[in-house]
Amino acid sequence: MRSDRVGARRQADVVICGGGLAGLTLARQLRLEVPAAAVLVLERTTRPLPDACHKVGESTIELGAHYLAHTLGLEAYLRREHILKNGLRFFGGDTAGTFGERPEIGPSEPPVIPAFQLDRGKLERDLRAMVEAEGVTLVEGAMVEAVALDEGSSGSAAPGAHTVTYRDAAGASHTVAARWVVDAMGRRRLLQKQLGLRRPASNPQSAAWFRVAERVVPADLVAPSVRAWHARDVGGSRWRSTSHLIGRGYWVWMIPLSTGFTSLGVVADAAAHPFASFNTPERARAFLRAHEPALAARLEDVAFADFRAMPDYSYLSERVLSAQRWASVGEAGFFVDPLYSLGGDFLGLGNTFVAALVADDLSGHLDPAKVDELNAFLYETSRDALRTTSGNSAIFAHARIFAAKLWWDFFHYWSFFAAYFFQQLWKLDLREHHAVRAIGHRYDALNVVAQRVLETWAELSPERLDGRRAFMPLPMFPSVLADQHLALTEPRTPEQTLAKMAGDVQTAEALVRELVVLALRDLGPALARRFGEVARLDTLGFVPSDPRVVADDLPRRARVEALPPIARDMERALGRTSSSVATSALLAAALDGARAASSADSAA
Amino acid sequence: MTREEILQEIVEILSDSFELDPKQIHPESTLYEDLDLDSIDAVDIFVQLRDLTGRRPNPDVAKEIRTVDELVTFVEDELAAAERGDPEPEPAAPPTRTEAAPDDTGSAASGT
Ligand SMILES: Cc1cc2nc3c(=O)[nH]c(=O)nc-3n(C[C@H](O)[C@H](O)[C@H](O)COP(=O)(O)OP(=O)(O)OC[C@H]3O[C@@H](n4cnc5c(N)ncnc54)[C@H](O)[C@@H]3O)c2cc1C
């Protein structure tokens, strides 16, 4: 069965239901990595697909881009047919003020590790042709109606046959047998629903998006006479970024597409901005006029080529990989949040796990413990990412605090999640993989504290904190943070990466302490105690006698020499707020507050 | 921009970034001895000057600079180069944090 093509389409090793980004990339990956597997893709829609106005999921970051460029060997194609991206860029500050005066955070040069802006219509059109040429059977116009799982056998037992029933374009019904069934049908989550696995995510955020048939870039929003603003775009590549306009409770994306379109979207927290304030084209324009007047003015006479709104877009799942030979990939599994463009990352990671498990299975040793291990990694990292991407309403209002958040989030991402993928840690044996997850758990715990510190800092700040510089390079070179970016492609064995991570998680802990120091100095003696109460610093083990805190009260040169590199780097990037009270005293007050809050809790 | 204006900008960058007293910064002040800066500080100065000049600094030129006055001349030359539309130096491979360790004082490379 394995080697013959799925010509008659009565059975296949892997039936992929849904040929969107997740389904098509998995099909290609299986051809590359498990060439013996016969692969059938059933996709509801038929070509031709339109340019641009097809789907969201246009911006990629390191992991997802690495998946497409290297795992799938598409680098030359992406460089030729899509846009080489210049990182993530953020404009904060006074959203109603002059755009050129808004603090800007983003790369000052194109990143060393490339990522891309994808035109989804074009990409899926091209991927369909590619997978067909590679020997995948792709049935277009195929509407999957039912999946019947054979739950009888698991792991090494003889494979039971799952069946998939679909209706073809002419209305005829077909049933195919499948050793593996993969749900890649997007947010309908057929398998997850059928198996009762859908989990809500506490992330009350919604989005609306549209494309315009012309290039709309941040430079359009700043008069040419503001020379300094334009001049600091030294390489002329600012427009290639995913630009985010951030304000209290919302952010707006601007993504350039290779077909000449621009993708724009609004993402907002329900508590700050009800969905009904931006869920139609007219309301979205009104929303922009109220919150992002410079962009609204730019779009005034520009027609929307499409428009879509989606309430409460997040959801998780505790199981997307099963030893019973089914999987849910892409949005058919879970979706965290559009912030940082993590969708493509989880899609690539999930697909890679499926391909590895199918390969194990076809060579006769699918290990249910490994399935569970990889599944747990997906669940834990998605839950952790949700913590990172939700609850940022107040932070978006303070460019300085958001910049501090970016330091933490990027460090966390590059040193752990992205490093995991670039360095192929799923290939570790189970015991070592377990050790990776244990490091992940330490990151999770730190992330909970870090995000709480950032949120509290933002919520308590009496005035808007824009930061001291009009432009903050991120990543800043050279820095401990940038080194994590550069390390992604350094040759290293999975074992060496595991050892590196054990050190990096300690730096991560030092970084969280720096967030505390920054927040305390910004909030000052009047708010230090309250900050400690809300942010619950007592769990961090950070005390006024810590050498880092003691060093903080030295004169500059001596302090700089006594600080750990991560502390110095954050000070270089974010500056140091002068304070009449020593950091050690601020921390002591905060810890008092934290202890009082804890004992009030335990008394209750 | 006149030399005097450039000097003003540089004094502001130095005092803001490094907690220096502006009155302590003179054209003849040496960066590494008088102002007590190190190579990482120097990288950061050039990153900020880049915003002023709109040009990538040439690392070979940057690393020869020793005094505030030489910084002023550097900015003056860069602004003139921008005016003429001289080609930019290519972006250099970014240094890692350890390569830029502060003990090798004086080797200020272009940071970005
Ligand atoms: C607001 C928002 C912004 C986002 N921004 C980004 C971003 O910037 N970067 C990023 O990486 N990700 C982003 N995402 C996530 C992104 O959408 C996903 O990463 C990606 O599109 C998921 O691809 P998919 O293949 O799972 O789903 P889809 O691309 O939706 O594919 C599902 C396919 O299944 C087919 N199908 C459906 N039902 C059936 C059926 N019954 N039978 C047969 N076929 C069927 C559909 O026709 C479709 O082709 C964003 C998501 C949202 C909500």
Side-chain angles (χ1 to χ4, degrees), chain A residues 17-23 42-45 55-60 120 124 128 142-144 184-188 207 209 253 255 310 313 329-332 335 338 341-345 347:
Chain A
C17 306
L21 187 60
L42 302 171
E43 164 57 38
R44 183 182 59 188
T45 62
K55 288 175 183 162
V56 271
E58 294 146 322
S59 167
T60 59
R120 284 291 292 272
E124 290 187 21
R128 286 188 194 191
M143 178 78 185
V144 172
M185 291 182 285
R187 342 193 109 235
R188 245 184 82 219
W209 60 90
W253 80 70
I255 301 174
M310 185 180 283
Y313 49 63
V329 297
E331 291 197 331
F335 177 68
S341 316
L342 286 159
D345 283 26
L347 184 155

Side-chain angles (χ1 to χ4, degrees), chain A residues 108-109 557 568-569 572, chain B residues 36 38 41 44 56 97:
Chain A
S108 54
E109 296 278 356
R557 181 84 248 151
R568 179 166 185 199
D569 286 357
R572 288 164 59 211
Chain B
D36 212 7
D38 65 20
D41 294 329
D44 294 340
R56 266 182 211 118
R97 184 65 161 80

